[in-house]
Amino acid sequence: MVEIKFAWSELGGDPALLARVSTVARKGALPARLPVRELARACVGACALAGAELGARRAGLARVPGVRVDDGAVATAFTSERQLLVDGRPPVLFAPLSRFWRTADGWVRTHANYPHHRERLSRALGVPEDPAAVEAALAERSARDVEEAVYAAGGLAVALRTPEEWAAHAQAAAVAARPLVERGRLDGAHARALAPLRGGGTPLLPAAGLRVLDLTRVLAGPVATRTLALLGADVLRLDAPRLPELPDQHADTGFGKRSALLDLTADRRAFEELLAAADVVVTGYRPGSLDRFGLSPEALAGRRPGLVVAQVSAWGPDGPWGGRRGFDSLVQVATGIAAVEGSPERPGALPAQALDHGTGYLLAAAVLRALTERSYDGGSRFVRVALARTAGWLLAGRDAGTEEDGEVHEGPGAWLAETDGPLGRLRYALPPVSFEGGPGDWARPPGPWGADPARWAA
């Protein structure tokens, strides 16, 4: 079943703490054939409970604060990139070449939001970056042929599969062999002791004083680090100067964080200085792609004992697709979700990028739980999640159907806020992570991408 009990168990949490979670159910929140509402509720609830647990540990509370999960807040947050307005302007979500296309034998979905991905798609197909030219070229080729040709060119295209076709794929077997949340110790090193939290009427911030290096892009990793920032962490996102971020994407996921540019090849000393004072490193690049920079979990922990290393990927760390790039929309297509949510005439999609958001909250929860466990017995630790594994969990609940209980969901209005900041007037989704005494909003709006210095706030 897709429920918080399973997620909390995968995180290694004490099952007795589940009694501290209450739910406000709302009909029509994240409507889908698959149990998307239940997945979203479980991921956010587990994250909030992990935050409340760590907060209680650091504040010396006799009881873990109660957690409240409201389907309305969760549904709004899971569509945060769609709710965003920048000076009244709606966001740009997908570029013209990011969509479903008919092929000679079925369907393929491409992802070409970034300029380098558009160029590679165009090169693989031998046509200009023009929708009509791409459509004509794809109509003459098989979906699996397009998938392999575009991947070989460094682009992103995935053929539509049914759940049964995905289950027969070697990558599906590799993903299914791993837990929803991978967790482990890297060594027995002593970790930096976190200062006790004190009351006094201020919000309980479980991650206060933590320093988090954010090496993630699109969308699960930034959601995780945005959540850690909500809970008080000093989150510093680092990007290579040659890989600019999409402005609206940065505005949506940049709340509470700072953003700096750093070339790992040219500014290695600066990175090592940051690492020497970090508590958590979160990475969201293809498995193994950062290893050449000495950024594997083992190498990082070797230089910063007591570190928590968190990793998120599309397809998992092994299997034939383990080294491939991927995005939520593509994982939906490969795993059969798009076939389930569509019709015989056309593939469909989930009502939100639920794999990204759900996996992001799971990753944040895993970091928080690792920090709680580390506070008892030390040790450097790693946690790892994958969009395809979250997709497998969602599909496993397919036969159970979706619940239809609670009040009618009347839209996102109650869970939207506005603020002025360096990027303009922003309308945004409020955070769904909620527990007694905890924060209700981020401490700061996002600033310009890459505009902050590459150093810790304090």
Side-chain angles (χ1 to χ4, degrees), residues 174-238:
V175 171
R178 291 181 174 270
L180 178 65
V181 180
E182 295 185 60
R183 311 158 42 247
R185 291 175 66 116
L186 295 166
D187 56 40
H190 292 291
R192 178 172 76 94
L194 299 177
L197 299 178
R198 293 177 173 82
T202 59
L204 179 63
L205 298 175
L210 285 164
R211 302 186 187 103
V212 178
L213 278 179
D214 178 2
L215 309 179
T216 70
R217 295 169 71 84
V218 206
L219 182 63
V223 165
T225 52
R226 182 180 67 183
T227 304
L228 295 175
L230 169 75
L231 299 179
D234 178 13
V235 178
L236 179 62
R237 173 166 165 170
L238 297 179

Side-chain angles (χ1 to χ4, degrees), residues 55-306:
R57 168 72 173 161
R58 294 187 62 191
L61 303 181
R63 244 182 135 189
V64 170
V67 168
R68 185 172 183 266
V69 185
D70 190 310
D71 284 347
V74 172
T76 304
F78 264 56
T79 56
S80 64
E81 66 278 5
R82 302 180 196 173
Q83 307 300 340
L84 179 73
L85 293 178
V86 181
D87 289 330
R89 175 186 61 79
V92 177
L93 297 178
F94 286 100
L97 297 187
S98 296
R99 51 172 262 202
F100 284 109
W101 308 85
R102 277 198 178 277
T103 63
D105 61 351
W107 292 89
V108 71
R109 179 147 192 170
T110 56
H111 195 289
N113 285 359
Y114 289 100
H116 57 290
H117 290 155
R118 288 196 291 274
E119 187 277 327
R120 293 167 185 173
L121 173 65
S122 171
R123 175 158 42 90
L125 299 177
V127 297
E129 295 180 20
D130 172 71
V134 171
E135 183 174 35
L138 291 175
E140 298 177 352
R141 303 176 67 167
S142 74
R144 303 288 176 90
D145 172 60
V146 170
E147 179 179 87
E148 291 304 318
V150 174
Y151 167 70
L156 292 153
V158 172
L160 177 71
R161 290 172 172 82
T162 65
E164 294 73 24
E165 288 171 331
W166 174 247
H169 196 286
Q171 189 60 35
V175 171
R178 291 181 174 270
L180 178 65
V181 180
E182 295 185 60
R183 311 158 42 247
R185 291 175 66 116
L186 295 166
D187 56 40
H190 292 291
R192 178 172 76 94
L194 299 177
L197 299 178
R198 293 177 173 82
T202 59
L204 179 63
L205 298 175
L210 285 164
R211 302 186 187 103
V212 178
L213 278 179
D214 178 2
L215 309 179
T216 70
R217 295 169 71 84
V218 206
L219 182 63
V223 165
T225 52
R226 182 180 67 183
T227 304
L228 295 175
L230 169 75
L231 299 179
D234 178 13
V235 178
L236 179 62
R237 173 166 165 170
L238 297 179
D239 284 284
R242 69 183 186 282
L243 290 175
E245 184 56 285
L246 302 174
D248 291 344
Q249 196 162 266
H250 170 70
D252 173 47
T253 60
F255 280 87
K257 310 179 195 179
R258 293 178 299 115
S259 170
L261 303 181
L262 192 68
D263 187 331
L264 289 179
T265 57
D267 300 324
R268 192 53 189 238
R269 178 178 294 181
F271 177 82
E272 295 301 325
E273 290 175 353
L274 290 169
L275 176 63
D279 298 287
V280 180
V281 174
V282 186
T283 69
Y285 292 82
R286 289 176 297 122
S289 63
L290 296 178
D291 290 4
R292 68 184 187 277
F293 298 109
L295 300 182
S296 69
E298 296 78 10
L300 288 166
R303 304 199 302 282
R304 174 58 167 163

Side-chain angles (χ1 to χ4, degrees), residues 396-453:
R398 176 183 177 187
D399 295 335
T402 60
E403 303 170 12
E404 272 302 324
D405 55 356
E407 305 172 11
V408 175
H409 179 51
E410 296 182 351
W415 299 281
L416 295 173
E418 293 192 6
T419 187
D420 290 311
L423 301 182
R425 182 73 175 171
L426 300 181
R427 188 193 76 174
Y428 62 99
L430 288 167
V433 171
S434 176
F435 53 86
E436 293 173 330
D441 203 347
W442 288 276
R444 53 177 283 172
W449 179 78
D452 294 296

